[in-house]
């Protein structure tokens, strides 16, 4: 299928907030970006939606590619649409969330240099607006 539009269109991405508990502390799954923008900074697992997949399928695919996790029950959380959230171009992200009984083994893959669990109250230097996304999740879901 070929598309031709007169006007620019925003890009569509998905991100996953995957949380769990370790030693009575809430932890969140993050990936370290391998490429610019924000190379070396930490982010939620996620990426661009392909033309032939649903948002949920895209989020599951990105989670598998970047962390090795699969068959995680994801629920749509919120859509983030700040105009300047991505320095490359206009990007809208639909964020999904999941709660795991325990942190599962993860490994960075695809465009993620690493994948790790972090205490949700002590986040590393984050890429994009992902610290804001996590803060909104904490306020609304917990």
């Amino acid at each position: 299928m070929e598309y031709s539009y007169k006007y620019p269109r925003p890009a569509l991405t998905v991100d996953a907030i995957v949380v769990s508990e370790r030693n009575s502390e809430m932890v969140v799954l993050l990936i370290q970006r391998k490429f610019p923008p924000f190379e070396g900074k930490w982010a939620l697992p996620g990426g661009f939606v392909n033309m032939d997949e649903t948002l949920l399928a895209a989020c599951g695919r990105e989670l598998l590619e970047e962390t090795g996790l699969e068959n995680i029950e994801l629920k749509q959380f919120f859509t983030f649409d700040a105009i300047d959230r991505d320095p490359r171009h206009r990007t809208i992200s639909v964020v999904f969330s999941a709660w795991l009984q325990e942190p599962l083994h993860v490994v960075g893959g695809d465009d993620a240099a690493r994948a790790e669990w972090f205490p949700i109250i002590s986040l590393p230097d984050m890429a994009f607006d992902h610290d804001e996304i996590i803060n909104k999740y904490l306020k609304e879901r917990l």
Side-chain angles (χ1 to χ4, degrees):
M1 190 178 292
E2 189 174 320
Y3 297 91
S4 174
Y5 299 109
K6 183 177 178 180
Y7 303 103
R9 300 283 193 262
L12 183 61
T13 62
V14 289
D15 291 300
I17 300 175
V18 182
V19 293
S20 188
E21 190 173 316
R22 178 177 61 204
N23 301 325
S24 300
E25 182 176 50
M26 183 178 291
V27 291
V28 62
L29 178 59
L30 300 176
I31 58 104
Q32 187 177 40
R33 292 184 53 84
K34 193 186 291 186
F35 304 111
F38 303 107
E39 180 179 357
K41 292 197 178 191
W42 293 88
L44 296 167
F48 292 95
V49 177
N50 292 330
M51 293 301 287
D52 63 347
E53 64 188 348
T54 65
L55 296 171
L56 182 60
C59 196
R61 173 184 54 77
E62 286 289 346
L63 196 56
L64 174 61
E65 289 175 358
E66 294 184 346
T67 71
L69 290 184
E70 59 185 327
N71 301 319
I72 303 299
E73 184 179 342
L74 296 162
K75 295 180 181 172
Q76 192 168 329
F77 168 58
F78 196 80
T79 301
F80 291 83
D81 65 348
I83 293 169
D84 60 352
R85 60 181 307 276
D86 187 326
R88 296 170 290 191
H89 45 67
R90 177 83 164 97
T91 304
I92 296 169
S93 183
V94 179
V95 178
F96 289 79
S97 66
W99 173 265
L100 302 180
Q101 293 290 0
E102 60 184 346
L104 300 175
H105 175 73
V106 292
V107 60
D110 192 36
D111 55 351
R114 296 165 44 200
E116 292 183 26
W117 295 94
F118 285 86
I120 205 161
I121 61 168
S122 179
L123 298 174
D125 199 16
M126 301 288 291
F128 304 102
D129 58 351
H130 291 191
D131 54 345
E132 294 173 31
I133 293 171
I134 292 170
N135 286 334
K136 183 170 184 65
Y137 175 81
L138 288 172
K139 288 178 185 171
E140 294 192 12
R141 291 292 170 102
L142 303 177

